């Protein structure tokens, strides 16, 4: 072990939340099972991770219910956090109903803050509407007794004059924590310090950073955020995740140990965690983050395929890559319609989607790309 006398001690060592069972689980083509979720959650808690982020809920009948329940059984609901999608007041109420049904205690609201993402997902760029929506969602959740983290989705590209009033409004409504989501890798560490400094200056603010690794700076940006006063860092095992991956947990915790002398975490579980997560994700023996991997520009959400400029730090073509569909059983009519565009194959989209989902489930959910969906459509026509 290196000498310790030169460690830069952090005045407020960060607390860690892990998003492997949420962000990584919604990476294109990745679907964890409940046994994977329970094993990963258990090792995360033994490592010293305080919150295990699991699943995404937008309304009743969540497809991630089995993952949420598995994590609750493994480590208890008080160690779990579930993301709730925010679009309007009625949708939020339905999502909260589902979260209550699943026994969730800690929620994380996903709210788009940049003008580009707000227009795509909320249908308006109005800053007043954004603040009103956040206040309403937070108030509803606090009235039901939830611990509430609210996000700034695409927050790294949201101008200060738009982001700071939004964050202040959320804390005024009673939120417990704010997460800055570097949805699109965009900032350098020194820029991150400036952005986080603006947020920690808000009275009563508790800030978390969630970075993506397309530019290879997710760990550096996370540590820079802590230097500026952030109290939480969100990471994933192996850095597995969408858009070039996330801040990798092992590199983050070992950096805290070596650079800052932080000995709070049991690093002995990290190799087993990586093995479990990579196996459960079906990614082979190793996952490489960054812009040149097969996963960097692969998507399973139709909005990401239809509006890639809203999600990409740089275009795939710039690094000699290509945009691709990767999906197992999370098929939707919109996704199938995208895959069949210009294919010359005409099918009833809804009927074909239902048929293909059933076939995927019966065959163990093999990975599908656009060509595989097109071939399946021909099989459907012949059936």
């Amino acid at each position: 072990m290196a000498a310790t006398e030169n460690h830069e001690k952090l005045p407020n060592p960060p607390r860690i939340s892990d998003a492997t069972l949420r962000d990584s689980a919604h990476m294109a083509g990745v679907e964890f099972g409940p046994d994977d979720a329970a094993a990963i959650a258990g090792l995360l808690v033994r490592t010293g991770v305080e919150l295990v982020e699991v699943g995404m809920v937008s309304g009743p009948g969540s497809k991630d219910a089995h993952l949420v329940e598995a994590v609750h059984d493994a480590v208890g609901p008080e160690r779990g956090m579930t993301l709730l999608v925010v679009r309007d007041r009625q949708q939020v109420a339905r999502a909260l109903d589902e979260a209550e049904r699943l026994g969730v205690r800690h929620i994380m609201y996903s709210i788009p803050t940049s003008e580009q993402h707000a227009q795509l997902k909320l249908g308006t760029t109005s800053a007043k509407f954004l603040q009103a929506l956040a206040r309403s969602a937070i108030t509803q959740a606090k009235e039901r007794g939830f611990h509430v983290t609210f996000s700034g989705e695409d927050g790294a590209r949201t101008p200060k004059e738009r982001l700071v009033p939004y964050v202040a409004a959320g804390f005024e409504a009673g939120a417990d924590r704010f997460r800055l989501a570097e949805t699109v890798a965009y900032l350098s560490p020194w820029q991150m310090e400036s952005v986080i400094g603006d947020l920690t200056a808000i009275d009563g603010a508790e800030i978390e950073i969630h970075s993506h690794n397309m530019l290879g700076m997710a760990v550096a940006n996370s540590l820079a955020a802590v230097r500026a006063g952030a109290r939480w860092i969100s990471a994933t095992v192996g850095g597995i995740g969408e858009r070039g991956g996330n801040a990798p947990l092992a590199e983050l915790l070992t950096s805290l140990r070596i650079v800052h002398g932080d000995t709070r975490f049991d690093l002995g579980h990290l190799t087993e965690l990586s093995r479990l997560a990579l196996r459960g994700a079906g990614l082979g023996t190793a996952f490489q983050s960054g812009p040149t991997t097969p996963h960097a520009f692969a998507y399973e959400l139709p909005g990401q395929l239809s509006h890639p400029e809203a999600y990409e730090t740089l275009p795939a073509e710039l690094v000699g890559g290509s945009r691709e569909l990767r999906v197992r059983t999370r098929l939707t009519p919109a996704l199938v319609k995208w895959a069949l565009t210009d294919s010359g194959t005409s099918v009833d989209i809804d009927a074909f989607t239902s048929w293909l989902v059933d076939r995927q489930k019966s065959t163990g959910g093999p990975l599908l790309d656009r060509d595989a969906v097109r071939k399946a459509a021909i099989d459907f026509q012949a059936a």
Side-chain angles (χ1 to χ4, degrees), residues 78-355:
E78 67 281 355
R79 299 301 290 267
M81 177 170 67
T82 295
L83 183 147
L84 268 64
V85 176
V86 173
R87 295 295 179 264
D88 58 53
R89 183 179 178 86
Q90 291 73 29
Q91 177 267 317
V92 167
R94 293 191 296 270
L96 289 171
D97 288 343
E98 178 72 353
E100 285 187 328
R101 184 185 73 82
L102 294 172
V104 173
R105 298 180 185 175
H106 189 155
I107 64 169
M108 204 285 288
Y109 276 136
S110 177
I111 307 176
T113 55
S114 70
E115 289 192 358
Q116 189 171 22
H117 276 239
Q119 182 63 53
L120 283 174
K121 298 175 181 181
L122 304 177
T124 177
T125 62
S126 168
K128 289 184 177 180
F129 176 83
L130 181 66
Q131 292 176 31
L133 180 61
R135 286 194 188 97
S136 173
I138 292 164
T139 300
Q140 287 186 70
K142 294 305 293 183
E143 287 174 348
R144 300 193 192 204
F146 287 102
H147 184 286
V148 179
T149 296
F150 71 113
S151 79
E153 184 184 338
D154 202 25
R157 295 194 300 180
T158 304
K160 173 182 176 179
E161 59 272 16
R162 180 180 176 90
L163 182 64
V164 171
Y166 162 79
V167 176
F171 281 114
E172 289 169 3
D176 299 283
R177 184 158 75 249
F178 171 74
R179 171 187 284 180
L180 180 75
E182 196 182 14
T183 306
V184 177
Y186 183 71
L187 300 176
S188 67
W190 47 95
Q191 290 170 319
M192 180 64 76
E193 283 199 48
S194 176
V195 171
I196 294 295
D198 291 334
L199 302 180
T200 56
I202 297 170
D203 187 43
E206 181 175 286
I207 306 299
E208 177 174 355
I209 179 61
H210 174 88
S211 284
H212 282 258
N213 207 33
M214 186 66 87
L215 300 179
M217 293 192 288
V219 169
N221 280 354
S222 298
L223 295 177
V226 171
R227 285 174 58 89
R231 302 300 299 272
W232 287 79
I233 297 174
S234 170
T236 66
V237 176
I240 303 170
E242 299 179 287
R243 297 180 299 283
N246 294 86
L249 181 70
E251 287 90 321
L252 175 65
L253 297 188
T254 52
S255 293
L256 286 170
R257 173 74 65 91
I258 299 302
V259 178
H260 296 294
D262 189 341
T263 60
R264 293 173 299 152
F265 302 97
D266 184 351
L267 307 184
H269 301 296
L270 292 176
T271 297
E272 177 65 6
L273 264 169
S274 293
R275 187 189 68 80
L276 281 172
L278 289 165
R279 184 192 67 190
L283 294 173
T285 58
F287 172 75
Q288 177 189 357
S289 62
T292 61
T293 72
H295 315 284
F297 299 97
Y299 306 108
E300 69 174 23
L301 296 176
Q304 294 174 337
L305 289 160
S306 302
H307 302 281
E309 70 284 350
Y311 296 90
E312 294 178 354
T313 304
L314 45 87
E317 297 78 13
L318 184 65
V319 293
S322 60
R323 205 165 287 113
E324 187 51 87
L325 163 69
R326 290 177 187 267
V327 65
R328 294 187 187 276
T329 64
R330 295 194 185 107
L331 287 151
T332 63
L335 199 62
V336 168
K337 183 178 180 180
W338 181 89
L340 295 181
T341 298
D342 298 326
S343 68
T345 302
S346 179
V347 296
D348 181 310
I349 295 293
D350 290 335
F352 171 56
T353 302
S354 179
W355 176 88

